[in-house]
Every structure is written in structure tokens, then in C-alpha cells.
Amino acid sequence: MHVEELLNQYAAGVRDFQNAVLVGIDLSGKDLRGIDFRRANLSQANLRGADFSSANFRETNLTQADLTQSTLIEANLISANLAQAKLCDADLSRAGLRGTRFIGANLDRAILVDANLGEVSLNQATLVEANLNSAALHRAKLIGADLTRAILEGANLSNAILSNAIFEGANLIGVTAHGAILEEADLREADLSRAKFVGANLINTNLGRANGRGASFSWSTLRGANLRRTNLYRANLGWANLSEADLSEAVLINANINQANLHNADLTGTIMPSGATYG
């Protein structure tokens, strides 16, 4: 189907373009709100700056598509394939993205506020300075993803796989990450205030200089983690495994470390709570 034919049909009120083959089509800057591209093939399409608010892209092939600065507010992208797609500065607020594949995609500065990203695959994707406030990322896969300075305040990362992901300088205030896997992730200088990592895997994770004020790491594994100069004021580390962790110069004032495992941990210059007990 050619661009002119599609636009003419849309102008005439047609919205159903399911299963259409539109490889490499140029719809940049077009207003196509509410269009239905379910199961269509839009791979390598130029969709820069287009408005797809409330559009249906369920199970659509958008591999290598350019959606830079596009508007996808409340769009349905469930189980769509956006591998290696460009979504820099795109607005996906409140979008349905459950099970969507963003492998290797670029979502730098994208807006994903309140988006449903449950079970999404963002392996090796870049989300530098992306806004994921209150986003649902339960059981999501972000292996090796770059979320440097991203905003995830109040996001749900429960049971997500975040191994080797980069969260340097990110805002993770109040996130829920129960049972999440953050092995060898980089959370240097991240704000983890009031975050909940109960039962999480943070083996060899870099938390140097992070702000963990009031965070909960109870029953979590932080074996070999870097917590050098980390602020853990009023943090809950009860029953956590901190063996071989670097806690040098960390602040543990009013922290709960009851029954925590600190075997072979580096506590040089660590400010410990008085009367603390640990295994």
C-alpha cells in the first residue's frame, strides 16, 4: 500500500489497516490517532514525529522503525516487536507495552510514565534520562540496558531481571523491586530512598555513593557488592547477606543489620548503629 492511498483512506474515516505490509513506509509527521495497525509490518518505517495516540500496534512488526519524537500516548503495543527501533524523545505515557520487545532499541529521554511494561524485553536497550515514573516493569527483562539518569520513581520492578544494567545517577525513589535480579548492575550515585529490594539478588552490584536512606534490603543477597560511601541511614538490612561486601565509609546510622551476614565484609570507616547484632 502506498502512502497516498493509506492517507486518503484514513481521511475518509477508515481506521482498520490490520496485517498491512508497509515496510519502509514514510508517515513522518502525520496525524494518525486511533489507527489500527495490528499485526502489520512496519519494519524500517519512518514514523518520526507522527501522532499515534490511542493507536493499535498489537503484535505489529516495528523492527528498526524510526519513531523519534512520536506520540504514542495510550497506544496499544502489546507483544509488538520494536527491536533496534528508535524512540528517542517519544511519548509513550500510559501505553500498553506488556510483552513488547525493545531489544537494542533507543529510548533515550522517552516518556513512559504510568506505562504497562510488564514482561517487556529491554535487553541491551538504551533509556538514558528516560522518564518511567510509576511504570509497571514487573518480570521485565533489562539485561545490559542503560538507564543512566533515568527517572523510575515509584516504578514496580518486582521479579525483573536487571543483570548488568546501568542505573548510574538514576532516580529510583520508592521503587518496588522484590525478588529482582540486579547481579553486577551499576547503581552508582543512584537515589534509592525508600526503595524496596526485599529478597533481591544484588551480588557484585555497584552501589557506591548511592543514597539508600530508608531503603529495605532485608533477606537480599549483596555478596561482594560495592557499598563504599553509600548512605544507608535507617535502611533495613535485616537477614541480608553482605559477605565480602565493601562497606567502607558507609553510613549505617539507625540502620537495621540484625542477623545480617557481614563475613569478610570491609567495614573500614563504616559508621555502624550502636548495639547492632549481625551474623
Side-chain angles (χ1 to χ4, degrees):
M1 179 180 292
H2 296 294
V3 174
E4 294 78 10
E5 181 182 356
L6 185 151
L7 295 177
N8 287 337
Q9 289 189 33
Y10 182 87
V14 176
R15 295 293 179 268
D16 187 353
F17 296 91
Q18 294 189 36
N19 300 301
V21 178
L22 302 164
V23 178
I25 195 169
D26 187 350
L27 296 170
S28 56
K30 305 303 181 186
D31 184 345
L32 295 166
R33 287 172 286 181
I35 198 166
D36 188 349
F37 279 134
R38 182 168 183 172
R39 297 196 191 95
N41 187 348
L42 286 152
S43 59
Q44 302 178 44
N46 181 3
L47 309 172
R48 292 176 63 99
D51 189 346
F52 294 111
S53 298
S54 301
N56 185 4
F57 287 98
R58 187 170 183 136
E59 302 172 68
T60 301
N61 182 358
L62 288 154
T63 56
Q64 299 182 335
D66 189 350
L67 288 140
T68 302
Q69 297 181 335
S70 61
T71 302
L72 292 149
I73 297 172
E74 298 183 348
N76 180 356
L77 290 122
I78 294 172
S79 298
N81 188 352
L82 288 107
Q84 299 180 351
K86 298 177 183 178
L87 294 115
C88 305
D89 302 293
D91 190 346
L92 294 108
S93 300
R94 302 183 301 282
L97 301 163
R98 190 177 70 251
T100 303
R101 286 159 287 175
F102 288 101
I103 299 171
N106 187 337
L107 292 109
D108 291 347
R109 299 175 303 281
I111 301 172
L112 293 136
V113 176
D114 289 318
N116 183 356
L117 291 143
E119 301 176 2
V120 72
S121 180
L122 283 154
N123 295 343
Q124 307 302 324
T126 62
L127 296 103
V128 176
E129 297 181 355
N131 187 343
L132 293 116
N133 272 359
S134 302
L137 288 149
H138 50 282
R139 295 188 298 277
K141 295 179 182 178
L142 293 99
I143 300 170
D146 187 352
L147 293 105
T148 302
R149 296 184 302 280
I151 304 170
L152 294 105
E153 190 165 346
N156 183 358
L157 290 158
S158 295
N159 298 308
I161 303 175
L162 308 157
S163 305
N164 298 108
I166 302 171
F167 290 92
E168 184 177 357
N171 177 350
L172 292 154
I173 295 173
V175 301
T176 300
H178 300 320
I181 299 174
L182 293 111
E183 192 166 346
E184 298 189 359
D186 187 352
L187 289 95
R188 285 176 295 169
E189 301 182 4
D191 193 341
L192 309 173
S193 303
R194 304 186 306 282
K196 304 176 185 68
F197 292 96
V198 178
N201 178 350
L202 293 108
I203 295 174
N204 296 325
T205 298
N206 189 350
L207 294 144
R209 297 178 182 269
N211 179 15
R213 183 186 179 101
S216 177
F217 296 93
S218 61
W219 298 96
S220 290
T221 301
L222 294 104
R223 177 167 49 84
N226 176 20
L227 293 144
R228 180 176 172 80
R229 297 187 179 180
T230 301
N231 179 6
L232 293 164
Y233 175 76
R234 289 189 174 178
N236 184 1
L237 293 155
W239 299 92
N241 182 356
L242 290 148
S243 59
E244 302 178 8
D246 183 356
L247 286 149
S248 57
E249 300 182 57
V251 176
L252 286 160
I253 297 173
N254 293 332
N256 173 18
I257 57 172
N258 292 334
Q259 304 304 316
N261 180 357
L262 289 160
H263 181 68
N264 288 335
D266 186 348
L267 301 172
T268 306
T270 304
I271 304 175
M272 302 283 285
S274 59
T277 60
Y278 48 90

